[in-house]
Amino acid sequence: MKKLPLLFFFILLAFYATSYAAQTIYKPITGTLTIRVEDYFNNTHSKTQYVLHADDETAYKLNFTDKISKHLKSGQRITINAANINKKDLFVADKNIMITKNILPTQLEAPLGRQDTLVMMVNFQDKPNEKPATQTEVGNTVFKTVNDMFYEFSYRQATVTGNVIGWFTLPINSTESCDVMTNLLPKIAQQMARNAGVNLSQYSHLIYFFPRTNSCPWGALGDLGGNPGSIWLNGVNTGPVTAHEMGHNLGLYHAHALDCQGAVNTGSCAEL
């Protein structure tokens, strides 16, 4: 008779496990993949985001439960099977990702020639007078400093040209979440640019320059590939940072090194 409570416990446990499994229903979500690099220039730290822009206009941040597939590229159409799709942070295994439309090889190569760039200077409705730079100052950074860097590093085969527009005051506050800054801000800024008569299709890089907000911990964010490639500058107006993010737009990852403190690599070196 003493074994009955233990037997009852295992029956109850099996019931709840079966019930939970039945509730965990995997559903397919289809959309376009964007890979972004968060750069924290104050401590040389960075993170890579994988964002699925679903066909219903919901942006899902993908968290991988196993090794990230090297076949994933910005701009791919993918379908994933995920549970708990009511949340914007999804955990997904590589085996549950299907690439439905790939990218042409030429779209993955860093192109030379003219890099047509539009800089949109935007601020927030709770701080409409906060304008940390002028059009001339931002234009000099992008179309002089960055252009000179690209021209030299490409052996005179790449240039950066384009326009600066704004300031535009967005109907959002500076305290909104970082998801709002990365997903909603571009949509509003692009519509404001169209209302101002700008043809966005002629640009291969779209830069969003806005006053520093603590809602986003990074200093800058850039799409890894994509056409057009997007860049977010969180109050940063310097040539090296902007050029760095444009490099991500062209499909370039970070370079890495091992810090062995002057010794031979014994397996305990720090990766930089």
Side-chain angles (χ1 to χ4, degrees):
M1 295 296 293
K2 293 183 179 180
K3 294 183 180 181
L4 286 178
L6 185 61
L7 178 61
F8 176 76
F9 170 77
F10 281 112
I11 293 174
L12 189 64
L13 182 64
F15 171 78
Y16 277 114
T18 305
S19 176
Y20 176 79
Q23 294 174 8
T24 308
I25 301 174
Y26 286 80
K27 295 183 179 179
I29 307 173
T30 298
T32 302
L33 177 67
T34 298
I35 304 175
R36 296 170 178 160
V37 180
E38 302 177 6
D39 286 309
Y40 301 75
F41 295 101
N42 58 338
N43 59 5
T44 67
H45 177 60
S46 68
K47 291 182 181 178
T48 302
Q49 295 182 6
Y50 291 78
V51 181
L52 175 61
H53 297 277
D55 291 342
D56 65 359
E57 298 189 355
T58 302
Y60 295 100
K61 188 176 292 185
L62 304 184
N63 302 279
F64 293 88
T65 58
D66 52 5
K67 191 173 182 180
I68 299 173
S69 173
K70 295 181 179 179
H71 300 294
L72 295 177
K73 305 291 182 183
S74 283
Q76 288 174 329
R77 294 280 297 171
I78 65 172
T79 296
I80 66 171
N81 286 311
N84 301 323
I85 63 171
N86 58 313
K87 299 180 180 180
K88 292 187 178 181
D89 277 274
L90 299 180
F91 289 86
V92 61
D94 181 61
K95 65 181 182 180
N96 290 329
I97 300 176
M98 180 175 64
I99 299 172
T100 57
K101 184 178 180 181
N102 221 322
I103 303 175
L104 296 174
T106 53
Q107 293 177 276
L108 300 177
E109 300 171 357
L112 298 176
R114 193 174 72 184
Q115 305 297 313
D116 292 312
T117 302
L118 177 66
V119 183
M120 288 167 271
M121 303 168 64
V122 298
N123 58 16
F124 307 103
Q125 65 181 3
D126 59 328
K127 297 180 180 180
N129 296 321
E130 189 170 6
K131 301 174 182 179
T134 65
Q135 283 191 4
T136 300
E137 290 169 338
V138 173
N140 286 340
T141 297
V142 178
F143 304 120
K144 288 187 178 180
T145 304
V146 176
N147 175 70
D148 290 346
M149 295 171 70
F150 269 57
Y151 189 64
E152 179 179 354
F153 297 159
S154 67
Y155 296 94
R156 303 181 180 182
Q157 297 184 73
T159 58
V160 180
T161 60
N163 297 286
V164 181
I165 60 174
W167 288 88
F168 296 132
T169 298
L170 305 175
I172 58 177
N173 292 326
S174 60
T175 54
E176 297 283 358
S177 69
C178 198
D179 282 341
V180 169
M181 300 300 176
T182 54
N183 296 308
L184 181 59
L185 182 151
K187 294 179 181 179
I188 299 174
Q190 287 180 28
Q191 188 56 55
M192 286 183 162
R194 293 188 190 96
N195 293 343
V198 177
N199 180 8
L200 297 177
S201 64
Q202 69 186 55
Y203 297 101
S204 53
H205 304 273
L206 300 177
I207 299 178
Y208 308 99
F209 174 69
F210 48 90
R212 173 70 189 177
T213 172
N214 292 327
S215 297
C216 295
W218 36 260
L221 176 71
D223 286 348
L224 188 61
N227 187 20
S230 294
I231 295 170
W232 292 254
L233 298 177
N234 191 3
V236 180
N237 179 36
T238 67
V241 169
T242 305
H244 181 106
E245 300 307 323
M246 291 187 75
H248 288 319
N249 282 180
L250 298 177
L252 300 178
Y253 290 80
H254 285 147
H256 292 282
L258 292 177
D259 182 6
C260 301
Q261 300 294 320
V264 176
N265 183 6
T266 58
S268 60
C269 301
E271 183 176 305
L272 304 177

